[in-house]
Amino acid sequence: MLGLMQDWPLLVHKIIDHAALNHGDREVVTRTVEGPIVRSNYAAIARRARKVAHALDRLGIKLGDRVATMAWNTARHIEAWYGIAGLGAIYHTLNPRLFPDQIVYIANHAEDKVLFFDATFAKLVEEIAPRLPGVELFVCLTDAAHLPKANIPNLVAYEEFIAGTDESFAWAEFDEHTACGLCYTSGTTGNPKGVLYSHRSNVLHALIAAQADAMALRACDAILPVVPMFHANAWAIAFSGPMVGAKLVLPGPKLDGDSICELLTTERVTMTAAVPTVWLALLQYLEKTGKTLPDMKRVVIGGSAAPRAMIEAFEKKYGITVIHAWGMTEMSPLGTLGTLKPHVEAMEHERQLDYKCKQGHAPFGVEMKIVGDDEAELPRDGKAFGRLKVRGPAVAKAYFRGEGASAFDAEGWFDTGDVATIDAEGYMTITDRAKDVIKSGGEWISTIEIENIAVGHPSVAEAAVIGVAHPKWDERPLLIVVLKPGQTASREDILGYLTGKIAKWWMPDDVVFVDEIPHTATGKIQKMTLRERFGAYRLPTAAA
Ligand code: ADP
C-alpha cells in the first residue's frame, strides 16, 4: 500500500522560491569582480534567476544541456546556478585553477554549450575558446560597461544577456531525479571524472548540511563561504543558506587574509567555511594585526585535515568553534562533521580537541564502513584502519559517461580512496589517502597525523610527509617542511618536537626544508609532485 502524501518533487529552484517568499529581503552581499561591494537579496536573486532561465531558453538551451560556469562566489553566479537548474539544464562548474588543457578536456567531455565566466578569467577563456567547438555563447558575468576587450567569439555581457527577459518566467517541470549539476574531481590519477548531481540529491544534501549537528545553519546566521562554488558546490552553502534564510556574504575574487577579514567584520559574519590553507593565511593576518572577529561563532574547516594547532588557535585565542568536516566531490560533498556528541561535550576542552582533530561523525543520509584488502568490514574500534566506503542519497553511484567504474561495488558502496578508522561512537579519522599511505615493514604509517603534529612546532608553517624507498623497510617517511617567514629550526629541533608525540617507528628518517610545498587546484598538498621531486632522495638510514 502506498502512502497518501503529496508528491512534491525535490527541485533545487524551489529553494530560491522559498527564500524569496519567506526571506525575500535577507541580504546577499558580494565583493564584485568590478570592485565595489554590492548588496542584493533573495527576492531579487529569484527574479533574476528566472531571467537567466528565460535567456537560456531563448537561446535554445534544453533539458539536460550543460551550461558551464567559471566564476567566483558572487550573487550573479548564484543567479546563474538557479536559472540553469530551473530550466532543467545542468550547471557545470569549471575550476579556473586547473591547467588550461585540463579545462579544455573537461568542458569538451561535458559538451558544454554555454560558458558563463568572470572577467578575471577573460585571458584564460580567450586562450581556450578556439578549442571549445561546442560552446555557442560566452557570457561574461558583468555589464556592458565592464565587458573586457578580449578576442572571444560570441561574447556577451551577462546584464545584456538577461535584459528584456521575463522575471516571472515559469520554471520547467521535470522529475526530481533529473540531473542538476556537474563537477569534475581534479583527477590526481587519470583524467578528471564528472560527478553528476540530481535535483533530489542537491536538495537532500542541503537539508543534511543545515542540520544542527552538521553546519547548524539558521536564519540569524550571516555565512561567508570562502570555499569556491567551483570546488565541490561550495559545500552546499548556495543551497543551504537560502534554504534557511541566512544572509550570504560572497567574497568574489579576493580571498587573501586582509580582504576576508574585512568582510567578516563589516558584514558581521557568524559562520564561514574554507580549506586549511585559507585559514593559515587568515590566522597569520590576525596574529600580525592583532585584530579579532567578535561576531564569528563557527568556522567549518575541511578539504584537507585541520591541524590541531589551527583548531586550538581558533577556539582558544578567538573564541570561535571549529567544525572539522570531511567530504569529497562525489559526496556532494559533505561526508562527516565534527560536532560534539554529549559525552564529548562533557569533557574538558583539551580532550574535546582530541575529538575535533578527528574528521567527525556521519549525519543521517551518510552510511560509512571501513574494509580490509579482502573487502571484509573492519571493527569500529578507533584502531583498525582500512579503506573507507560510503553510501547515501547524495553519494555518486557512477561517474559521468561511465568512467572510473571500479570505485563502485555491487552493493552500491563507493570507495572514497581514503584510509580511515571509525571509533565506537562513530567518529571517523582519516589517516591517509590510499595512494599516499606509507607502508613500512608491512605496517601503515599515517602521513596526515605526522604532518598535523609537525605544524604545531612554532617555526613550522606547513609540512608534508612522503614515503621514500628504503632497502630494509621498503619505505620510510621523509618530512618536508616550510618554515614561517623569518624563523629557523634544525632537523634535530623538528624531530625532537615529534618525539613522544608519535610512535617511535613513525619517526621520519629525515627532514628537508623547502621554500614552498606545491598545492593542487583544490588546495591540497600535491604529494605526487613531491614524490617525483624526492624520488631519488637517499635517506641517512638507508646507508647500512
Ligand atoms: P579533489 O579530489 O578534486 O581535490 P575533493 O574535495 O573531492 O577534491 O577531495 C576529497 C578528498 O579530500 C577526500 O577524499 C580526502 O582525501 C580529502 N579530505 C577532505 N576533507 C578532509 C579532512 N577534513 N581531512 C583529511 N582529508 C580530507
Side-chain angles (χ1 to χ4, degrees):
M1 189 184 289
L2 294 178
L4 289 173
M5 306 311 281
Q6 297 184 5
D7 190 9
W8 193 82
L10 302 176
L11 299 173
V12 149
H13 43 280
K14 286 185 175 170
I15 297 174
I16 203 66
D17 283 349
H18 166 83
L21 190 63
N22 298 286
H23 309 277
D25 58 1
R26 196 69 170 129
E27 278 187 315
V28 177
V29 180
T30 303
R31 186 194 294 281
T32 58
V33 175
E34 294 87 354
I37 289 175
V38 168
R39 314 186 90 80
S40 181
N41 61 34
Y42 286 128
I45 288 195
R47 283 196 302 270
R48 287 164 58 83
R50 284 175 190 266
K51 288 170 76 69
V52 173
H54 190 190
L56 288 169
D57 184 61
R58 279 198 313 201
L59 193 69
I61 295 300
K62 301 217 160 16
L63 192 83
D65 283 345
R66 272 77 70 197
V67 176
T69 65
M70 191 196 283
W72 301 111
N73 294 0
T74 67
R76 284 187 179 129
H77 196 180
I78 292 186
E79 291 162 10
W81 268 21
Y82 281 105
I84 296 164
L87 190 64
I90 300 167
Y91 68 83
H92 171 208
T93 49
L94 287 171
N95 184 342
R97 293 176 182 149
L98 294 171
F99 293 115
D101 280 352
Q102 283 173 308
I103 299 174
V104 167
Y105 170 86
I106 290 171
N108 286 332
H109 189 268
E111 296 181 8
D112 294 331
K113 288 201 161 159
V114 179
L115 171 55
F116 288 84
F117 68 100
D118 271 328
T120 322
F121 310 119
K123 274 268 151 292
L124 175 59
V125 173
E126 187 178 275
E127 181 188 335
I128 62 175
R131 296 160 67 195
L132 303 176
V135 176
E136 295 161 15
L137 189 70
F138 292 86
V139 183
C140 187
L141 290 158
T142 189
D143 53 24
H146 293 90
L147 192 64
K149 287 185 189 42
N151 185 17
I152 300 170
N154 304 320
L155 174 66
V156 61
Y158 175 81
E159 295 298 338
E160 302 291 300
F161 179 59
I162 64 170
T165 52
D166 182 1
E167 61 180 38
S168 51
F169 181 76
W171 299 128
E173 281 179 30
F174 43 82
D175 185 89
E176 66 180 16
H177 290 281
T178 302
C180 174
L182 179 63
C183 179
Y184 281 67
T185 60
S186 54
T188 33
T189 51
N191 276 326
K193 292 185 273 297
V195 179
L196 189 61
Y197 309 108
S198 66
H199 279 260
R200 175 187 150 86
S201 72
N202 271 349
V203 172
L204 288 174
H205 181 259
L207 284 167
I208 292 170
Q211 289 184 91
D213 268 313
M215 288 191 183
L217 303 184
R218 299 189 52 213
C220 298
D221 275 314
I223 310 173
L224 188 154
V226 184
V227 56
M229 290 163 73
F230 58 73
H231 180 204
N233 279 316
W235 302 351
I237 291 170
F239 302 128
S240 53
M243 188 178 260
V244 302
K247 169 176 168 178
L248 285 185
V249 182
L250 304 169
K254 292 209 165 160
L255 304 181
D256 57 286
D258 194 350
S259 307
I260 292 291
C261 189
E262 184 199 342
L263 280 182
L264 293 177
T265 312
T266 54
E267 298 300 330
R268 307 197 61 183
V269 170
T270 59
M271 190 271 189
T272 172
V275 297
T277 42
V278 167
W279 298 134
L280 200 66
L282 180 81
L283 286 172
Q284 279 173 5
Y285 175 80
L286 291 177
E287 207 166 307
K288 198 175 75 195
T289 57
K291 291 184 178 162
T292 57
L293 299 168
D295 296 298
M296 183 72 73
K297 294 192 176 70
R298 302 183 304 292
V299 42
V300 182
I301 309 180
S304 301
R308 188 184 182 101
M310 180 176 286
I311 301 175
E312 229 170 351
F314 272 117
E315 299 220 332
K316 288 194 179 159
K317 225 167 165 179
Y318 302 104
I320 300 168
T321 301
V322 169
I323 303 174
H324 190 184
W326 163 85
M328 58 200 317
T329 306
E330 290 87 337
M331 298 183 77
S332 298
L334 295 173
T336 57
L337 295 113
T339 51
L340 304 186
K341 294 194 180 191
H343 69 288
V344 184
E345 188 139 279
M347 290 173 183
E348 44 104 19
H349 194 234
E350 280 306 313
R351 281 282 290 136
Q352 284 181 348
L353 284 174
D354 295 343
Y355 280 85
K356 293 197 171 199
C357 292
K358 296 171 186 275
Q359 274 71 11
H361 51 91
F364 175 73
V366 176
E367 271 186 81
M368 314 190 276
K369 68 173 180 181
I370 45 170
V371 300
D373 289 340
D374 58 358
E375 291 293 318
E377 185 167 355
L378 296 168
R380 293 177 161 236
D381 60 5
K383 293 190 188 77
F385 49 99
R387 282 188 355 265
L388 180 60
K389 292 190 157 197
V390 292
R391 273 197 313 209
V395 177
K397 68 173 175 188
Y399 287 110
F400 191 46
R401 300 195 193 285
E403 285 172 19
S406 60
F408 305 89
D409 73 18
E411 280 112 52
W413 291 94
F414 167 67
D415 189 332
T416 62
D418 286 329
V419 176
T421 64
I422 305 177
D423 72 17
E425 291 111 14
Y427 280 94
M428 185 274 287
T429 305
I430 299 278
T431 57
D432 251 311
R433 274 194 154 183
K435 57 184 184 303
D436 295 335
V437 84
I438 299 177
K439 242 185 181 171
S440 182
E443 298 287 340
W444 284 1
I445 295 176
S446 164
T447 63
I448 293 183
E449 198 167 330
I450 305 173
E451 289 158 6
N452 282 349
I453 295 172
V455 293
H457 186 290
S459 303
V460 174
E462 207 177 8
V465 175
I466 56 165
V468 171
H470 189 281
K472 182 165 176 202
W473 302 109
D474 297 331
E475 269 190 319
R476 289 294 303 157
L478 171 68
L479 174 58
I480 300 161
V481 165
V482 179
L483 292 173
K484 287 184 185 161
Q487 300 276 344
T488 53
S490 66
R491 169 187 189 275
E492 284 65 34
D493 292 334
I494 307 284
L495 293 179
Y497 180 79
L498 294 178
T499 306
K501 297 188 177 79
I502 54 171
K504 259 197 189 136
W505 64 277
W506 282 26
M507 192 58 80
D509 285 29
D510 208 359
V511 182
V512 290
F513 296 91
V514 295
D515 292 336
E516 204 184 333
I517 284 177
H519 290 99
T520 68
T522 53
K524 295 177 187 20
I525 293 175
Q526 224 163 24
K527 295 228 171 148
M528 213 159 64
T529 313
L530 288 174
R531 280 194 290 266
E532 277 162 18
R533 177 165 163 201
F534 291 98
Y537 192 80
R538 199 166 158 73
L539 292 166
T541 50

mmCIF file of all heavy atoms in Angstrom, residues 184-188 231-232 301-306 324-330 359 416 418 430 433 448 520 522 524, ligand 1:
data_model
loop_
_atom_site.group_PDB
_atom_site.id
_atom_site.type_symbol
_atom_site.label_atom_id
_atom_site.label_comp_id
_atom_site.label_asym_id
_atom_site.label_seq_id
_atom_site.Cartn_x
_atom_site.Cartn_y
_atom_site.Cartn_z
ATOM 1 N N TYR A 184 33.699 18.114 -11.857
ATOM 2 C CA TYR A 184 34.727 17.090 -12.078
ATOM 3 C C TYR A 184 35.692 17.072 -10.895
ATOM 4 O O TYR A 184 36.046 18.114 -10.372
ATOM 5 C CB TYR A 184 35.490 17.377 -13.385
ATOM 6 C CG TYR A 184 34.719 16.946 -14.627
ATOM 7 C CD1 TYR A 184 33.543 17.597 -14.991
ATOM 8 C CD2 TYR A 184 35.150 15.888 -15.411
ATOM 9 C CE1 TYR A 184 32.819 17.203 -16.110
ATOM 10 C CE2 TYR A 184 34.439 15.478 -16.538
ATOM 11 C CZ TYR A 184 33.273 16.145 -16.881
ATOM 12 O OH TYR A 184 32.564 15.746 -17.986
ATOM 13 N N THR A 185 36.091 15.858 -10.499
ATOM 14 C CA THR A 185 37.134 15.766 -9.471
ATOM 15 C C THR A 185 38.452 16.086 -10.159
ATOM 16 O O THR A 185 38.585 15.893 -11.367
ATOM 17 C CB THR A 185 37.220 14.354 -8.855
ATOM 18 O OG1 THR A 185 37.523 13.444 -9.905
ATOM 19 C CG2 THR A 185 35.916 13.970 -8.207
ATOM 20 N N SER A 186 39.417 16.538 -9.370
ATOM 21 C CA SER A 186 40.632 17.051 -10.013
ATOM 22 C C SER A 186 41.441 15.945 -10.678
ATOM 23 O O SER A 186 42.304 16.220 -11.499
ATOM 24 C CB SER A 186 41.466 17.846 -9.023
ATOM 25 O OG SER A 186 41.711 17.068 -7.890
ATOM 26 N N GLY A 187 41.155 14.699 -10.348
ATOM 27 C CA GLY A 187 41.771 13.608 -11.097
ATOM 28 C C GLY A 187 43.275 13.533 -10.948
ATOM 29 O O GLY A 187 44.011 13.599 -11.931
ATOM 30 N N THR A 188 43.724 13.401 -9.678
ATOM 31 C CA THR A 188 45.163 13.304 -9.455
ATOM 32 C C THR A 188 45.714 12.040 -10.113
ATOM 33 O O THR A 188 46.894 11.969 -10.430
ATOM 34 C CB THR A 188 45.489 13.314 -7.951
ATOM 35 O OG1 THR A 188 44.418 12.676 -7.265
ATOM 36 C CG2 THR A 188 45.646 14.727 -7.434
ATOM 37 N N HIS A 231 34.486 24.569 -6.433
ATOM 38 C CA HIS A 231 35.065 23.414 -5.755
ATOM 39 C C HIS A 231 33.979 22.734 -4.929
ATOM 40 O O HIS A 231 33.603 23.212 -3.864
ATOM 41 C CB HIS A 231 36.246 23.831 -4.879
ATOM 42 C CG HIS A 231 36.872 22.668 -4.164
ATOM 43 N ND1 HIS A 231 37.589 22.783 -3.021
ATOM 44 C CD2 HIS A 231 36.867 21.346 -4.464
ATOM 45 C CE1 HIS A 231 37.990 21.585 -2.613
ATOM 46 N NE2 HIS A 231 37.574 20.708 -3.486
ATOM 47 N N ALA A 232 33.494 21.616 -5.425
ATOM 48 C CA ALA A 232 32.522 20.807 -4.675
ATOM 49 C C ALA A 232 31.353 21.635 -4.150
ATOM 50 O O ALA A 232 31.017 21.605 -2.965
ATOM 51 C CB ALA A 232 33.218 20.068 -3.541
ATOM 52 N N ILE A 301 36.070 23.740 8.707
ATOM 53 C CA ILE A 301 37.353 23.502 8.031
ATOM 54 C C ILE A 301 37.318 22.107 7.436
ATOM 55 O O ILE A 301 37.044 21.132 8.132
ATOM 56 C CB ILE A 301 38.539 23.596 9.022
ATOM 57 C CG1 ILE A 301 38.476 24.899 9.833
ATOM 58 C CG2 ILE A 301 39.861 23.477 8.267
ATOM 59 C CD1 ILE A 301 39.617 25.050 10.826
ATOM 60 N N GLY A 302 37.597 21.983 6.158
ATOM 61 C CA GLY A 302 37.619 20.675 5.514
ATOM 62 C C GLY A 302 38.385 20.740 4.218
ATOM 63 O O GLY A 302 38.968 21.777 3.884
ATOM 64 N N GLY A 303 38.369 19.647 3.488
ATOM 65 C CA GLY A 303 39.105 19.592 2.218
ATOM 66 C C GLY A 303 40.481 18.987 2.391
ATOM 67 O O GLY A 303 41.004 18.316 1.514
ATOM 68 N N SER A 304 41.105 19.248 3.536
ATOM 69 C CA SER A 304 42.339 18.601 3.985
ATOM 70 C C SER A 304 42.217 18.576 5.499
ATOM 71 O O SER A 304 41.375 19.286 6.059
ATOM 72 C CB SER A 304 43.597 19.401 3.632
ATOM 73 O OG SER A 304 43.703 19.588 2.258
ATOM 74 N N ALA A 305 43.088 17.806 6.133
ATOM 75 C CA ALA A 305 42.983 17.694 7.591
ATOM 76 C C ALA A 305 43.281 19.030 8.265
ATOM 77 O O ALA A 305 44.216 19.729 7.895
ATOM 78 C CB ALA A 305 43.948 16.628 8.075
ATOM 79 N N ALA A 306 42.469 19.385 9.251
ATOM 80 C CA ALA A 306 42.727 20.602 10.029
ATOM 81 C C ALA A 306 43.705 20.254 11.141
ATOM 82 O O ALA A 306 43.403 19.408 11.978
ATOM 83 C CB ALA A 306 41.422 21.115 10.624
ATOM 84 N N HIS A 324 35.228 20.535 12.187
ATOM 85 C CA HIS A 324 36.114 19.885 11.228
ATOM 86 C C HIS A 324 35.243 18.970 10.365
ATOM 87 O O HIS A 324 34.462 18.185 10.895
ATOM 88 C CB HIS A 324 37.154 19.083 12.010
ATOM 89 C CG HIS A 324 38.269 18.547 11.177
ATOM 90 N ND1 HIS A 324 39.246 17.734 11.678
ATOM 91 C CD2 HIS A 324 38.572 18.714 9.868
ATOM 92 C CE1 HIS A 324 40.094 17.420 10.715
ATOM 93 N NE2 HIS A 324 39.708 18.002 9.613
ATOM 94 N N ALA A 325 35.350 19.102 9.057
ATOM 95 C CA ALA A 325 34.477 18.325 8.182
ATOM 96 C C ALA A 325 35.293 17.574 7.143
ATOM 97 O O ALA A 325 36.371 18.011 6.746
ATOM 98 C CB ALA A 325 33.488 19.242 7.479
ATOM 99 N N TRP A 326 34.772 16.455 6.742
ATOM 100 C CA TRP A 326 35.397 15.676 5.669
ATOM 101 C C TRP A 326 34.349 15.396 4.600
ATOM 102 O O TRP A 326 33.164 15.229 4.905
ATOM 103 C CB TRP A 326 35.926 14.355 6.233
ATOM 104 C CG TRP A 326 36.215 13.333 5.163
ATOM 105 C CD1 TRP A 326 37.363 13.207 4.436
ATOM 106 C CD2 TRP A 326 35.324 12.306 4.692
ATOM 107 N NE1 TRP A 326 37.239 12.172 3.545
ATOM 108 C CE2 TRP A 326 36.006 11.598 3.683
ATOM 109 C CE3 TRP A 326 34.033 11.927 5.031
ATOM 110 C CZ2 TRP A 326 35.430 10.531 3.001
ATOM 111 C CZ3 TRP A 326 33.450 10.860 4.348
ATOM 112 C CH2 TRP A 326 34.153 10.161 3.346
ATOM 113 N N GLY A 327 34.786 15.363 3.386
ATOM 114 C CA GLY A 327 33.872 15.015 2.305
ATOM 115 C C GLY A 327 34.623 15.005 1.002
ATOM 116 O O GLY A 327 35.845 15.101 0.968
ATOM 117 N N MET A 328 33.892 14.881 -0.070
ATOM 118 C CA MET A 328 34.518 14.885 -1.390
ATOM 119 C C MET A 328 33.474 15.186 -2.454
ATOM 120 O O MET A 328 32.269 15.059 -2.229
ATOM 121 C CB MET A 328 35.211 13.553 -1.655
ATOM 122 C CG MET A 328 34.304 12.368 -1.582
ATOM 123 S SD MET A 328 35.213 10.823 -1.319
ATOM 124 C CE MET A 328 36.586 11.022 -2.417
ATOM 125 N N THR A 329 33.968 15.587 -3.620
ATOM 126 C CA THR A 329 33.089 15.944 -4.728
ATOM 127 C C THR A 329 32.008 14.880 -4.932
ATOM 128 O O THR A 329 30.845 15.202 -5.156
ATOM 129 C CB THR A 329 33.942 16.110 -6.003
ATOM 130 O OG1 THR A 329 34.986 17.042 -5.705
ATOM 131 C CG2 THR A 329 33.136 16.622 -7.164
ATOM 132 N N GLU A 330 32.413 13.619 -4.837
ATOM 133 C CA GLU A 330 31.483 12.506 -5.079
ATOM 134 C C GLU A 330 30.386 12.424 -4.021
ATOM 135 O O GLU A 330 29.434 11.678 -4.159
ATOM 136 C CB GLU A 330 32.255 11.170 -5.094
ATOM 137 C CG GLU A 330 33.159 10.976 -6.294
ATOM 138 C CD GLU A 330 34.550 11.568 -6.105
ATOM 139 O OE1 GLU A 330 34.717 12.492 -5.272
ATOM 140 O OE2 GLU A 330 35.475 11.110 -6.793
ATOM 141 N N GLN A 359 37.803 13.635 11.897
ATOM 142 C CA GLN A 359 37.050 14.274 10.801
ATOM 143 C C GLN A 359 35.543 14.319 11.066
ATOM 144 O O GLN A 359 34.797 14.866 10.277
ATOM 145 C CB GLN A 359 37.371 13.581 9.484
ATOM 146 C CG GLN A 359 38.615 14.130 8.789
ATOM 147 C CD GLN A 359 39.925 13.786 9.455
ATOM 148 O OE1 GLN A 359 39.988 12.964 10.360
ATOM 149 N NE2 GLN A 359 40.998 14.417 9.022
ATOM 150 N N THR A 416 35.994 5.613 -1.299
ATOM 151 C CA THR A 416 36.415 7.025 -1.268
ATOM 152 C C THR A 416 37.884 7.218 -1.643
ATOM 153 O O THR A 416 38.306 8.343 -1.896
ATOM 154 C CB THR A 416 36.229 7.609 0.145
ATOM 155 O OG1 THR A 416 37.078 6.872 1.040
ATOM 156 C CG2 THR A 416 34.782 7.522 0.591
ATOM 157 N N ASP A 418 40.089 6.929 0.518
ATOM 158 C CA ASP A 418 40.699 7.350 1.780
ATOM 159 C C ASP A 418 40.864 6.142 2.692
ATOM 160 O O ASP A 418 40.126 5.164 2.588
ATOM 161 C CB ASP A 418 39.811 8.384 2.487
ATOM 162 C CG ASP A 418 39.880 9.751 1.814
ATOM 163 O OD1 ASP A 418 40.937 10.079 1.250
ATOM 164 O OD2 ASP A 418 38.875 10.468 1.842
ATOM 165 N N ILE A 430 40.518 10.281 9.271
ATOM 166 C CA ILE A 430 41.230 9.960 8.029
ATOM 167 C C ILE A 430 42.711 9.818 8.377
ATOM 168 O O ILE A 430 43.295 10.736 8.950
ATOM 169 C CB ILE A 430 41.095 11.104 6.994
ATOM 170 C CG1 ILE A 430 39.633 11.332 6.614
ATOM 171 C CG2 ILE A 430 41.969 10.863 5.778
ATOM 172 C CD1 ILE A 430 39.084 10.407 5.579
ATOM 173 N N ARG A 433 45.181 9.371 2.287
ATOM 174 C CA ARG A 433 44.604 8.896 1.035
ATOM 175 C C ARG A 433 45.316 7.595 0.720
ATOM 176 O O ARG A 433 46.517 7.466 0.969
ATOM 177 C CB ARG A 433 44.874 9.928 -0.071
ATOM 178 C CG ARG A 433 43.820 11.016 -0.093
ATOM 179 C CD ARG A 433 43.871 11.827 -1.353
ATOM 180 N NE ARG A 433 42.543 12.385 -1.590
ATOM 181 C CZ ARG A 433 42.206 13.109 -2.632
ATOM 182 N NH1 ARG A 433 43.081 13.377 -3.563
ATOM 183 N NH2 ARG A 433 40.990 13.566 -2.766
ATOM 184 N N ILE A 448 49.244 11.974 7.447
ATOM 185 C CA ILE A 448 48.459 13.129 7.902
ATOM 186 C C ILE A 448 48.715 13.404 9.375
ATOM 187 O O ILE A 448 48.865 14.547 9.802
ATOM 188 C CB ILE A 448 46.946 12.886 7.657
ATOM 189 C CG1 ILE A 448 46.660 12.856 6.159
ATOM 190 C CG2 ILE A 448 46.099 13.962 8.335
ATOM 191 C CD1 ILE A 448 45.192 12.693 5.798
ATOM 192 N N THR A 520 47.407 21.455 -5.069
ATOM 193 C CA THR A 520 46.534 21.172 -6.202
ATOM 194 C C THR A 520 45.564 22.336 -6.389
ATOM 195 O O THR A 520 45.512 23.255 -5.577
ATOM 196 C CB THR A 520 45.682 19.906 -5.956
ATOM 197 O OG1 THR A 520 44.753 20.193 -4.908
ATOM 198 C CG2 THR A 520 46.528 18.723 -5.567
ATOM 199 N N THR A 522 42.618 22.370 -5.774
ATOM 200 C CA THR A 522 41.625 22.448 -4.697
ATOM 201 C C THR A 522 42.304 22.603 -3.340
ATOM 202 O O THR A 522 41.709 22.301 -2.304
ATOM 203 C CB THR A 522 40.701 21.210 -4.706
ATOM 204 O OG1 THR A 522 41.510 20.039 -4.684
ATOM 205 C CG2 THR A 522 39.804 21.183 -5.925
ATOM 206 N N LYS A 524 44.987 21.132 -1.947
ATOM 207 C CA LYS A 524 45.604 20.013 -1.232
ATOM 208 C C LYS A 524 47.096 19.946 -1.550
ATOM 209 O O LYS A 524 47.519 20.382 -2.614
ATOM 210 C CB LYS A 524 44.944 18.701 -1.643
ATOM 211 C CG LYS A 524 43.490 18.619 -1.249
ATOM 212 C CD LYS A 524 42.927 17.329 -1.755
ATOM 213 C CE LYS A 524 41.451 17.177 -1.579
ATOM 214 N NZ LYS A 524 40.643 18.339 -1.383
HETATM 215 P P1 ADP B 1 39.750 16.820 -5.286
HETATM 216 O O1 ADP B 1 39.949 15.339 -5.100
HETATM 217 O O2 ADP B 1 39.230 17.179 -6.620
HETATM 218 O O3 ADP B 1 40.849 17.645 -4.763
HETATM 219 P P2 ADP B 1 37.734 16.719 -3.236
HETATM 220 O O4 ADP B 1 37.323 17.879 -2.446
HETATM 221 O O5 ADP B 1 36.680 15.870 -3.778
HETATM 222 O O6 ADP B 1 38.574 17.307 -4.372
HETATM 223 O O7 ADP B 1 38.737 15.881 -2.376
HETATM 224 C C1 ADP B 1 38.263 14.942 -1.457
HETATM 225 C C2 ADP B 1 39.380 14.385 -0.639
HETATM 226 O O8 ADP B 1 39.936 15.399 0.215
HETATM 227 C C3 ADP B 1 38.935 13.330 0.328
HETATM 228 O O9 ADP B 1 38.820 12.079 -0.301
HETATM 229 C C4 ADP B 1 40.051 13.354 1.365
HETATM 230 O O10 ADP B 1 41.187 12.638 0.938
HETATM 231 C C5 ADP B 1 40.421 14.826 1.407
HETATM 232 N N1 ADP B 1 39.797 15.472 2.564
HETATM 233 C C6 ADP B 1 38.674 16.204 2.575
HETATM 234 N N2 ADP B 1 38.419 16.660 3.815
HETATM 235 C C7 ADP B 1 39.397 16.201 4.612
HETATM 236 C C8 ADP B 1 39.700 16.313 6.016
HETATM 237 N N3 ADP B 1 38.948 17.026 6.843
HETATM 238 N N4 ADP B 1 40.796 15.687 6.464
HETATM 239 C C9 ADP B 1 41.571 14.963 5.646
HETATM 240 N N5 ADP B 1 41.357 14.823 4.331
HETATM 241 C C10 ADP B 1 40.275 15.437 3.817
#
